[in-house]
Amino acid sequence: MIPVNYYLALSAVLFCIGALGVLVRRNALVIFMSIELMLNAANVAFVAFSRQFGHLDGQIMVLFVLTVAAAEVAVGLAMIVAIFRVRASINVDELNQLRG
């Protein structure tokens, strides 16, 4: 049986990689992937604590997080495609004004 500390360390590393990706990168797709990585890191922590304490609450939260993440990806990718059609770029530094 793998200790919970290993799962939490993995979760922390994944979350830090995701946060670094959000802070450093300027491509909107990479930022969305980094946000998804941070959400999955939280899911790993939820499942680890759920397994340690013997409750299903953490796994139920994972289902909710996955549902919200799927909706976020659908709306976010639709916005990225719409912006790319207008501006021909998805660099977030160039998207300083939201005009129609």
XYZ file of all heavy atoms in Angstrom:
759
model
N 0.842 -1.180 0.000
C 0.000 0.000 0.000
C 0.887 1.244 0.000
O 1.813 1.375 0.784
C -0.895 -0.015 1.236
C -1.902 1.057 1.248
S -3.150 0.712 2.478
C -3.473 2.339 3.037
N 0.586 2.151 -0.899
C 1.380 3.376 -1.048
C 0.894 4.402 -0.016
O -0.302 4.634 0.118
C 1.234 3.944 -2.471
C 1.720 2.911 -3.492
C 2.013 5.237 -2.614
C 1.478 3.308 -4.925
N 1.817 5.027 0.720
C 1.404 6.032 1.714
C 0.754 7.254 1.054
O 1.037 7.589 -0.100
C 2.710 6.423 2.393
C 3.700 5.392 2.027
C 3.247 4.779 0.751
N -0.088 7.915 1.822
C -0.803 9.092 1.327
C 0.172 10.236 1.038
O -0.076 11.055 0.156
C -1.880 9.519 2.347
C -2.576 10.788 1.930
C -2.887 8.405 2.543
N 1.275 10.275 1.740
C 2.260 11.347 1.522
C 2.775 11.358 0.086
O 3.056 12.428 -0.468
C 3.427 11.202 2.489
C 3.014 11.445 3.916
O 1.998 12.087 4.173
N 3.788 10.924 4.835
N 2.908 10.197 -0.514
C 3.373 10.128 -1.899
C 2.353 10.745 -2.848
O 2.704 11.457 -3.784
C 3.665 8.698 -2.301
C 4.859 8.072 -1.615
C 5.067 6.713 -1.700
C 5.763 8.823 -0.884
C 6.157 6.113 -1.082
C 6.846 8.244 -0.261
C 7.038 6.900 -0.360
O 8.118 6.328 0.252
N 1.080 10.444 -2.599
C 0.029 11.032 -3.428
C -0.021 12.550 -3.263
O -0.217 13.287 -4.228
C -1.338 10.438 -3.079
C -1.505 9.009 -3.491
C -1.631 8.004 -2.544
C -1.546 8.651 -4.831
C -1.783 6.686 -2.910
C -1.703 7.338 -5.211
C -1.828 6.359 -4.249
O -1.980 5.059 -4.632
N 0.152 13.003 -2.033
C 0.129 14.447 -1.796
C 1.349 15.132 -2.406
O 1.240 16.259 -2.907
C 0.044 14.732 -0.299
C -1.253 14.287 0.371
C -1.218 14.605 1.852
C -2.448 14.932 -0.299
N 2.491 14.472 -2.378
C 3.679 15.043 -3.020
C 3.472 15.126 -4.532
O 3.817 16.138 -5.160
C 4.910 14.208 -2.695
N 2.907 14.066 -5.120
C 2.598 14.096 -6.549
C 1.613 15.206 -6.874
O 1.782 15.945 -7.848
C 2.031 12.747 -6.991
C 1.518 12.672 -8.430
C 2.677 12.821 -9.403
C 0.764 11.380 -8.651
N 0.606 15.357 -6.032
C -0.384 16.421 -6.235
C 0.268 17.799 -6.150
O -0.026 18.679 -6.967
C -1.489 16.289 -5.187
O -2.401 17.338 -5.287
N 1.143 17.997 -5.199
C 1.825 19.289 -5.055
C 2.712 19.589 -6.258
O 2.750 20.721 -6.749
C 2.643 19.310 -3.772
N 3.427 18.567 -6.733
C 4.298 18.770 -7.900
C 3.469 19.114 -9.136
O 3.799 20.044 -9.885
C 5.177 17.517 -8.142
C 5.850 17.568 -9.492
C 6.196 17.376 -7.031
N 2.374 18.377 -9.359
C 1.512 18.669 -10.507
C 0.910 20.065 -10.409
O 0.824 20.789 -11.404
C 0.398 17.626 -10.609
C 0.800 16.232 -11.062
C -0.395 15.299 -11.004
C 1.388 16.275 -12.448
N 0.493 20.454 -9.198
C -0.087 21.783 -9.032
C 0.948 22.871 -9.292
O 0.642 23.885 -9.937
C -0.681 21.943 -7.631
C -1.529 23.166 -7.483
C -2.862 23.134 -7.841
C -0.995 24.346 -7.009
C -3.637 24.265 -7.728
C -1.762 25.479 -6.896
C -3.099 25.445 -7.245
N 2.168 22.671 -8.824
C 3.227 23.675 -9.064
C 3.578 23.776 -10.544
O 3.799 24.881 -11.053
C 4.466 23.327 -8.246
S 4.250 23.600 -6.483
N 3.609 22.652 -11.239
C 3.870 22.687 -12.684
C 2.751 23.439 -13.394
O 3.000 24.262 -14.288
C 4.025 21.258 -13.239
C 5.314 20.630 -12.735
C 4.016 21.271 -14.768
C 5.442 19.160 -13.055
N 1.499 23.198 -12.994
C 0.372 23.905 -13.597
C 0.409 25.395 -13.304
O 0.162 26.224 -14.181
N 0.704 25.756 -12.066
C 0.781 27.179 -11.708
C 1.913 27.865 -12.455
O 1.765 29.011 -12.915
C 0.966 27.322 -10.202
N 3.032 27.189 -12.593
C 4.150 27.751 -13.349
C 3.772 27.940 -14.816
O 4.128 28.946 -15.434
C 5.372 26.839 -13.221
C 6.673 27.362 -13.783
C 7.138 28.567 -12.982
C 7.725 26.284 -13.750
N 3.029 26.992 -15.368
C 2.568 27.117 -16.751
C 1.633 28.286 -16.951
O 1.684 28.964 -17.974
N 0.764 28.545 -15.972
C -0.151 29.690 -16.075
C 0.623 30.994 -15.982
O 0.340 31.958 -16.708
C -1.239 29.622 -14.981
C -2.009 30.928 -14.881
C -2.188 28.474 -15.258
N 1.605 31.052 -15.110
C 2.337 32.299 -14.897
C 3.343 32.604 -15.992
O 3.591 33.774 -16.301
C 3.041 32.256 -13.538
C 2.129 32.202 -12.319
C 2.951 32.027 -11.059
C 1.278 33.462 -12.243
N 3.941 31.591 -16.591
C 5.035 31.810 -17.531
C 4.566 31.874 -18.977
O 5.023 32.713 -19.751
C 6.111 30.709 -17.355
C 7.168 30.804 -18.422
C 6.723 30.807 -15.974
N 3.667 31.010 -19.364
C 3.271 30.903 -20.773
C 2.332 32.019 -21.189
O 1.604 32.581 -20.377
C 2.600 29.558 -21.040
C 3.494 28.388 -20.794
C 4.632 28.407 -21.767
N 5.491 27.245 -21.560
C 6.336 26.821 -22.440
N 6.464 27.432 -23.581
N 7.078 25.784 -22.186
N 2.329 32.318 -22.473
C 1.469 33.360 -23.025
C 0.483 32.815 -24.048
O -0.339 33.546 -24.559
C 2.314 34.448 -23.687
C 3.158 35.196 -22.717
C 2.284 35.990 -21.767
N 3.059 36.471 -20.640
C 2.645 36.452 -19.401
N 1.465 35.956 -19.112
N 3.391 36.908 -18.435
N 0.540 31.537 -24.336
C -0.380 30.919 -25.279
C -1.630 30.491 -24.508
O -1.544 29.823 -23.481
C 0.286 29.715 -25.933
C -0.530 29.140 -27.053
O -1.725 29.364 -27.146
N 0.127 28.376 -27.915
N -2.807 30.854 -25.006
C -4.049 30.575 -24.290
C -4.306 29.080 -24.150
O -4.823 28.629 -23.123
C -5.219 31.251 -25.007
N -3.930 28.282 -25.140
C -4.133 26.833 -25.044
C -3.255 26.216 -23.961
O -3.701 25.334 -23.214
C -3.861 26.167 -26.386
C -4.891 26.420 -27.483
C -4.439 25.796 -28.786
C -6.236 25.887 -27.069
N -2.038 26.676 -23.853
C -1.138 26.162 -22.825
C -1.632 26.580 -21.444
O -1.556 25.808 -20.479
C 0.306 26.641 -23.077
C 1.230 26.230 -21.947
C 0.814 26.110 -24.394
N -2.183 27.778 -21.338
C -2.742 28.226 -20.067
C -3.927 27.357 -19.673
O -4.058 26.957 -18.515
C -3.124 29.717 -20.145
C -1.861 30.571 -20.232
C -3.958 30.126 -18.944
C -2.107 32.033 -20.470
N -4.793 27.026 -20.628
C -5.922 26.138 -20.326
C -5.438 24.751 -19.908
O -5.990 24.150 -18.976
C -6.859 26.008 -21.520
C -7.968 27.017 -21.509
C -8.217 27.774 -22.620
C -8.762 27.192 -20.405
C -9.234 28.700 -22.625
C -9.773 28.114 -20.384
C -10.015 28.873 -21.496
N -4.418 24.235 -20.564
C -3.890 22.923 -20.172
C -3.275 22.979 -18.775
O -3.401 22.024 -17.996
C -2.855 22.439 -21.185
C -3.461 22.037 -22.502
S -2.371 21.206 -23.674
C -0.845 22.054 -23.527
N -2.654 24.090 -18.438
C -2.077 24.237 -17.104
C -3.162 24.316 -16.038
O -3.006 23.754 -14.940
C -1.198 25.489 -17.048
O -0.126 25.381 -17.945
N -4.263 24.985 -16.343
C -5.385 25.032 -15.406
C -5.962 23.635 -15.200
O -6.293 23.244 -14.073
C -6.451 26.023 -15.900
C -5.920 27.452 -15.790
C -7.746 25.880 -15.115
C -6.796 28.487 -16.450
N -6.077 22.878 -16.283
C -6.565 21.499 -16.162
C -5.606 20.652 -15.329
O -6.041 19.791 -14.555
C -6.739 20.878 -17.551
C -7.861 21.477 -18.345
C -9.217 21.238 -17.714
O -9.444 20.138 -17.172
O -10.046 22.142 -17.760
N -4.317 20.884 -15.457
C -3.337 20.160 -14.661
C -3.500 20.490 -13.179
O -3.416 19.596 -12.320
C -1.925 20.492 -15.142
C -0.789 19.653 -14.601
C -0.956 18.198 -15.014
C 0.529 20.186 -15.110
N -3.769 21.754 -12.864
C -3.985 22.127 -11.472
C -5.269 21.500 -10.929
O -5.308 21.050 -9.774
C -4.030 23.650 -11.334
C -2.697 24.311 -11.544
S -2.640 26.048 -11.111
C -3.816 26.753 -12.233
N -6.322 21.442 -11.736
C -7.558 20.800 -11.293
C -7.350 19.308 -11.053
O -7.873 18.746 -10.081
C -8.669 21.023 -12.324
C -9.245 22.427 -12.391
C -10.210 22.542 -13.573
C -9.945 22.790 -11.111
N -6.575 18.657 -11.912
C -6.300 17.240 -11.719
C -5.404 16.994 -10.501
O -5.522 15.957 -9.848
C -5.690 16.631 -12.971
C -6.727 16.434 -14.050
O -7.890 16.167 -13.753
N -6.319 16.573 -15.291
N -4.537 17.929 -10.197
C -3.732 17.810 -8.977
C -4.630 17.868 -7.742
O -4.437 17.099 -6.788
C -2.686 18.917 -8.925
N -5.607 18.738 -7.772
C -6.568 18.795 -6.660
C -7.372 17.498 -6.585
O -7.678 17.010 -5.486
C -7.494 19.991 -6.829
N -7.696 16.928 -7.735
C -8.426 15.655 -7.747
C -7.610 14.532 -7.115
O -8.155 13.699 -6.394
C -8.813 15.275 -9.173
C -9.940 16.107 -9.704
O -10.683 16.724 -8.950
N -10.089 16.132 -11.012
N -6.313 14.504 -7.392
C -5.449 13.484 -6.786
C -5.454 13.637 -5.266
O -5.534 12.647 -4.524
C -4.019 13.566 -7.363
C -3.053 12.705 -6.564
C -4.007 13.161 -8.817
N -5.404 14.870 -4.784
C -5.429 15.098 -3.336
C -6.777 14.682 -2.738
O -6.826 14.071 -1.663
C -5.142 16.568 -3.039
N -7.869 14.999 -3.434
C -9.193 14.589 -2.951
C -9.289 13.070 -2.823
O -9.774 12.549 -1.823
C -10.295 15.084 -3.888
C -10.715 16.504 -3.663
C -10.948 17.329 -4.750
C -10.907 17.009 -2.397
C -11.349 18.635 -4.572
C -11.306 18.317 -2.201
C -11.535 19.136 -3.289
N -8.832 12.361 -3.839
C -8.909 10.898 -3.817
C -7.985 10.327 -2.749
O -8.336 9.354 -2.062
C -8.594 10.319 -5.207
C -8.443 8.816 -5.151
C -9.678 10.700 -6.187
N -6.819 10.919 -2.558
C -5.889 10.431 -1.532
C -6.495 10.576 -0.141
O -6.442 9.641 0.669
C -4.567 11.194 -1.621
N -7.076 11.738 0.146
C -7.695 11.926 1.454
C -8.945 11.061 1.618
O -9.220 10.557 2.703
C -8.038 13.387 1.691
C -6.832 14.228 2.025
C -6.555 15.376 1.310
C -5.977 13.877 3.061
C -5.454 16.153 1.616
C -4.878 14.641 3.372
C -4.616 15.784 2.648
N -9.678 10.885 0.544
C -10.855 10.026 0.586
C -10.457 8.589 0.915
O -11.128 7.912 1.702
C -11.582 10.082 -0.753
O -12.655 9.183 -0.784
N -9.382 8.145 0.336
C -8.910 6.778 0.597
C -8.361 6.642 2.005
O -8.575 5.622 2.671
C -7.841 6.423 -0.427
C -7.341 5.019 -0.284
C -6.390 4.688 -1.410
N -5.892 3.336 -1.252
C -4.660 2.975 -1.465
N -3.781 3.859 -1.891
N -4.281 1.735 -1.298
N -7.671 7.675 2.481
C -7.080 7.598 3.817
C -8.158 7.539 4.898
O -8.058 6.764 5.843
C -6.160 8.787 4.069
C -5.517 8.762 5.446
C -4.680 9.969 5.741
O -4.708 10.941 5.013
N -3.933 9.921 6.822
N -9.184 8.368 4.756
C -10.203 8.435 5.800
C -11.354 7.463 5.591
O -12.223 7.340 6.438
C -10.729 9.863 5.917
C -9.674 10.834 6.375
C -9.393 11.957 5.622
C -8.951 10.625 7.532
C -8.417 12.854 6.027
C -7.980 11.503 7.942
C -7.716 12.626 7.191
N -11.394 6.799 4.446
C -12.417 5.793 4.216
C -13.791 6.337 3.882
O -14.787 5.639 4.045
N -13.863 7.584 3.436
C -15.134 8.185 3.049
C -15.160 8.369 1.529
O -14.131 8.475 0.887
C -15.326 9.556 3.708
C -15.402 9.483 5.198
N -16.479 8.963 5.869
C -14.526 9.867 6.150
C -16.265 9.035 7.164
N -15.076 9.578 7.368
N -16.343 8.451 0.984
C -16.474 8.675 -0.455
C -16.649 10.152 -0.805
O -16.869 10.487 -1.964
C -17.668 7.878 -1.000
C -17.504 6.370 -0.981
C -18.764 5.704 -1.496
C -16.319 5.955 -1.815
N -16.561 11.031 0.178
C -16.771 12.456 -0.064
C -15.768 13.022 -1.061
O -16.120 13.822 -1.928
C -16.678 13.246 1.241
C -17.766 12.854 2.232
O -18.771 12.273 1.781
O -17.595 13.132 3.432
N -14.519 12.628 -0.960
C -13.491 13.124 -1.879
C -13.727 12.674 -3.302
O -13.522 13.438 -4.251
N -14.178 11.447 -3.469
C -14.437 10.951 -4.817
C -15.668 11.600 -5.428
O -15.719 11.821 -6.641
C -14.570 9.435 -4.773
C -13.264 8.783 -4.381
C -13.377 7.284 -4.244
O -14.411 6.703 -4.525
N -12.298 6.658 -3.810
N -16.635 11.949 -4.609
C -17.806 12.687 -5.105
C -17.383 14.087 -5.539
O -17.837 14.596 -6.572
C -18.906 12.718 -4.033
C -19.446 11.301 -3.816
C -20.018 13.675 -4.416
C -20.365 11.154 -2.632
N -16.487 14.711 -4.771
C -15.981 16.031 -5.164
C -15.221 15.963 -6.478
O -15.283 16.889 -7.290
C -15.066 16.603 -4.069
C -15.800 17.234 -2.919
S -16.851 18.602 -3.423
C -15.668 19.761 -4.007
N -14.516 14.875 -6.712
C -13.788 14.704 -7.973
C -14.768 14.688 -9.142
O -14.502 15.287 -10.193
C -12.928 13.422 -7.941
C -12.430 13.054 -9.318
C -11.756 13.615 -6.998
N -15.904 14.030 -8.976
C -16.914 14.026 -10.047
C -17.412 15.435 -10.336
O -17.604 15.814 -11.495
C -18.073 13.104 -9.677
C -17.755 11.617 -9.696
C -18.944 10.821 -9.215
C -17.348 11.174 -11.082
N -17.627 16.230 -9.290
C -18.056 17.609 -9.501
C -16.966 18.443 -10.179
O -17.248 19.243 -11.075
C -18.477 18.261 -8.186
C -19.795 17.789 -7.670
C -19.893 17.198 -6.426
C -20.941 17.929 -8.426
C -21.111 16.755 -5.950
C -22.167 17.489 -7.962
C -22.246 16.896 -6.716
N -15.725 18.255 -9.755
C -14.615 19.003 -10.351
C -14.451 18.634 -11.819
O -14.226 19.496 -12.674
C -13.309 18.770 -9.553
C -12.106 19.320 -10.293
C -13.409 19.394 -8.186
N -14.574 17.355 -12.146
C -14.471 16.931 -13.540
C -15.595 17.508 -14.386
O -15.388 17.882 -15.539
C -14.460 15.405 -13.629
C -13.182 14.717 -13.181
C -13.352 13.208 -13.216
C -12.020 15.134 -14.031
N -16.794 17.595 -13.816
C -17.921 18.182 -14.543
C -17.677 19.663 -14.822
O -17.890 20.142 -15.937
C -19.216 17.997 -13.743
O -19.398 16.618 -13.470
C -20.409 18.544 -14.491
N -17.233 20.382 -13.814
C -16.942 21.810 -13.996
C -15.781 22.002 -14.969
O -15.803 22.915 -15.809
C -16.648 22.472 -12.633
C -16.106 23.877 -12.795
C -17.902 22.485 -11.778
N -14.772 21.141 -14.903
C -13.633 21.253 -15.810
C -14.051 21.001 -17.253
O -13.576 21.674 -18.173
C -12.541 20.272 -15.398
N -14.948 20.045 -17.466
C -15.416 19.781 -18.829
C -16.197 20.968 -19.377
O -16.029 21.345 -20.548
C -16.280 18.523 -18.843
N -17.018 21.576 -18.546
C -17.762 22.762 -18.991
C -16.817 23.928 -19.253
O -16.986 24.672 -20.230
C -18.796 23.149 -17.935
N -15.814 24.076 -18.412
C -14.836 25.156 -18.590
C -14.060 24.978 -19.888
O -13.803 25.942 -20.609
C -13.889 25.169 -17.392
C -12.787 26.193 -17.496
C -11.419 25.569 -17.622
O -11.235 24.410 -17.244
O -10.524 26.277 -18.130
N -13.705 23.760 -20.207
C -12.963 23.498 -21.442
C -13.840 23.780 -22.657
O -13.381 24.383 -23.640
C -12.447 22.044 -21.472
C -12.001 21.640 -22.849
C -11.309 21.893 -20.488
N -15.095 23.392 -22.601
C -15.987 23.624 -23.741
C -16.168 25.115 -23.996
O -16.048 25.588 -25.135
C -17.331 22.959 -23.494
N -16.438 25.873 -22.958
C -16.632 27.317 -23.118
C -15.312 28.008 -23.466
O -15.260 28.873 -24.354
C -17.238 27.920 -21.836
C -17.265 29.435 -21.896
C -18.641 27.379 -21.615
N -14.239 27.616 -22.801
C -12.938 28.245 -23.048
C -12.429 28.002 -24.458
O -11.922 28.918 -25.111
N -12.553 26.782 -24.942
C -12.091 26.501 -26.302
C -12.947 27.205 -27.343
O -12.437 27.656 -28.372
C -12.065 24.993 -26.558
C -10.933 24.240 -25.882
C -11.041 22.748 -26.161
C -9.591 24.765 -26.319
N -14.249 27.337 -27.077
C -15.100 28.096 -27.996
C -14.671 29.559 -28.043
O -14.629 30.172 -29.125
C -16.561 27.981 -27.572
N -14.321 30.117 -26.895
C -13.844 31.509 -26.872
C -12.507 31.644 -27.590
O -12.288 32.618 -28.325
C -13.718 31.990 -25.428
C -15.043 32.200 -24.744
S -14.924 32.576 -22.993
C -13.683 33.813 -22.902
N -11.613 30.689 -27.404
C -10.310 30.745 -28.069
C -10.472 30.662 -29.576
O -9.814 31.401 -30.331
C -9.385 29.628 -27.540
C -8.945 29.962 -26.125
C -8.178 29.447 -28.431
C -8.150 28.868 -25.455
N -11.340 29.775 -30.047
C -11.570 29.656 -31.493
C -12.164 30.948 -32.051
O -11.752 31.424 -33.120
C -12.477 28.442 -31.803
C -12.956 28.466 -33.237
C -11.730 27.156 -31.518
N -13.108 31.552 -31.323
C -13.705 32.811 -31.786
C -12.671 33.934 -31.827
O -12.634 34.721 -32.779
C -14.868 33.193 -30.881
N -11.818 34.009 -30.826
C -10.772 35.043 -30.812
C -9.758 34.797 -31.913
O -9.295 35.730 -32.570
C -10.109 35.099 -29.420
C -11.096 35.651 -28.394
C -8.849 35.936 -29.446
C -10.625 35.541 -26.970
N -9.413 33.539 -32.153
C -8.443 33.224 -33.198
C -8.978 33.592 -34.574
O -8.228 34.047 -35.442
C -8.066 31.742 -33.161
C -7.034 31.368 -34.174
C -5.707 31.706 -33.981
C -7.378 30.693 -35.329
C -4.744 31.371 -34.906
C -6.432 30.350 -36.266
C -5.102 30.696 -36.054
N -10.272 33.414 -34.795
C -10.852 33.772 -36.094
C -10.795 35.276 -36.344
O -10.614 35.718 -37.472
C -12.296 33.300 -36.173
C -12.412 31.824 -36.357
C -13.840 31.405 -36.502
N -13.938 29.962 -36.684
C -15.055 29.304 -36.762
N -16.211 29.946 -36.672
N -15.059 28.007 -36.921
N -10.922 36.061 -35.293
C -10.909 37.522 -35.447
C -9.484 38.059 -35.499
O -9.147 38.865 -36.364
C -11.692 38.183 -34.301
C -11.540 39.693 -34.330
C -13.153 37.788 -34.360
N -8.633 37.620 -34.578
C -7.294 38.194 -34.432
C -6.180 37.395 -35.107
O -5.072 37.884 -35.222
C -6.945 38.307 -32.949
C -7.895 39.150 -32.148
C -7.305 40.477 -31.927
N -8.227 41.312 -31.177
C -7.873 42.128 -30.251
N -6.615 42.231 -29.931
N -8.752 42.869 -29.647
N -6.412 36.145 -35.439
C -5.419 35.242 -36.029
C -4.246 35.001 -35.084
O -3.138 34.703 -35.508
C -4.936 35.752 -37.368
N -4.476 35.144 -33.782
C -3.460 34.875 -32.775
C -4.161 34.565 -31.457
O -5.220 35.115 -31.168
C -2.547 36.078 -32.601
O -1.650 35.858 -31.533
N -3.546 33.703 -30.660
C -4.100 33.422 -29.342
C -3.101 33.774 -28.244
O -3.163 33.252 -27.138
C -4.550 31.951 -29.224
C -3.453 30.994 -29.613
C -5.807 31.707 -29.990
C -3.792 29.546 -29.386
N -2.204 34.676 -28.540
C -1.255 35.170 -27.563
C -2.002 36.090 -26.602
O -2.622 37.057 -27.016
C -0.116 35.920 -28.263
C 1.003 36.246 -27.325
O 0.913 36.016 -26.123
N 2.080 36.786 -27.875
N -1.933 35.806 -25.300
C -2.716 36.577 -24.338
C -2.189 37.997 -24.154
O -2.921 38.863 -23.684
C -2.809 35.848 -22.978
C -3.608 34.582 -23.092
C -1.453 35.591 -22.385
N -0.953 38.261 -24.510
C -0.436 39.627 -24.424
C -1.089 40.537 -25.459
O -1.214 41.739 -25.245
C 1.073 39.645 -24.630
C 1.812 39.085 -23.429
O 1.238 39.119 -22.315
O 2.943 38.616 -23.605
N -1.518 39.975 -26.573
C -2.159 40.766 -27.623
C -3.650 40.955 -27.376
O -4.297 41.725 -28.072
C -1.951 40.093 -28.976
C -0.497 40.029 -29.380
C -0.312 39.219 -30.643
O -1.310 38.787 -31.253
O 0.853 38.997 -31.023
N -4.207 40.273 -26.409
C -5.635 40.337 -26.140
C -5.924 41.246 -24.958
O -6.544 40.873 -23.981
C -6.189 38.935 -25.851
C -6.003 37.910 -26.954
C -6.473 36.563 -26.490
C -6.728 38.336 -28.207
N -5.486 42.472 -25.027
C -5.658 43.384 -23.914
C -6.993 44.096 -23.916
O -7.400 44.643 -22.923
C -4.506 44.385 -23.850
C -4.389 45.169 -25.148
O -5.169 44.986 -26.079
N -3.397 46.040 -25.207
N -7.681 44.126 -25.049
C -8.984 44.780 -25.129
C -9.994 43.813 -25.724
O -9.711 43.124 -26.697
C -8.906 46.023 -26.000
C -8.009 47.100 -25.414
C -7.951 48.296 -26.338
O -8.475 48.256 -27.442
N -7.318 49.347 -25.878
N -11.174 43.778 -25.137
C -12.247 42.922 -25.634
C -13.275 43.803 -26.310
O -14.227 44.267 -25.707
C -12.864 42.115 -24.495
C -11.947 41.104 -23.829
C -12.668 40.450 -22.662
C -11.535 40.052 -24.831
N -13.062 44.065 -27.577
C -13.997 44.867 -28.360
C -14.614 44.000 -29.432
O -13.985 43.085 -29.938
C -13.279 46.029 -29.033
C -12.907 47.124 -28.060
C -12.424 48.310 -28.823
N -10.941 48.217 -28.867
C -10.200 49.004 -29.599
N -10.743 49.899 -30.373
N -8.906 48.874 -29.580
N -15.842 44.335 -29.810
C -16.533 43.554 -30.827
C -16.263 43.998 -32.221
O -15.605 44.865 -32.603
